[in-house]
Amino acid sequence: MTRITAEVPAETASLVEELARSRGITGAEFVAEAVQRVAEHEAEFRAFVQEGVDAADRGDVVPHADVMIKLDEMIARHRARCA
């Protein structure tokens, strides 16, 4: 384990403690879990973006005009169902 220290507004610290108490865990456990979740989410997002960059580098893309045609078709179908 590694310890991380960060300054947060008093309101945030109070909220963390309140939420941790409601879950029956310590504030430190709550923060550790929150940091882990955010870090994992950011890593997943970075990987997702990299997939797009790699696809574009390979030329594996759909032209903008083709995308707009498909979107216009989808919008028209939706409007027809709602009418």
Side-chain angles (χ1 to χ4, degrees):
M1 291 288 215
T2 301
R3 182 173 301 276
I4 297 175
T5 303
E7 291 186 19
V8 297
E11 299 83 17
T12 301
S14 294
L15 180 58
V16 164
E17 291 301 325
E18 177 186 329
L19 293 169
R21 266 193 311 277
S22 73
R23 292 185 50 204
I25 61 176
T26 67
E29 290 169 321
F30 184 91
V31 170
E33 183 181 313
V35 169
Q36 180 179 357
R37 284 183 182 184
V38 169
E40 288 171 354
H41 175 76
E42 290 292 324
E44 288 170 3
F45 181 73
R46 177 186 277 181
F48 174 75
V49 169
Q50 190 59 53
E51 284 182 39
V53 170
D54 294 345
D57 288 347
R58 291 190 307 272
D60 186 12
V61 296
V62 178
H64 180 262
D66 293 351
V67 172
M68 294 309 298
I69 289 168
K70 291 289 185 188
L71 284 174
D72 288 341
E73 291 170 357
M74 291 171 64
I75 290 168
R77 283 194 305 271
H78 175 74
R79 286 184 174 154
R81 281 195 313 266
C82 294

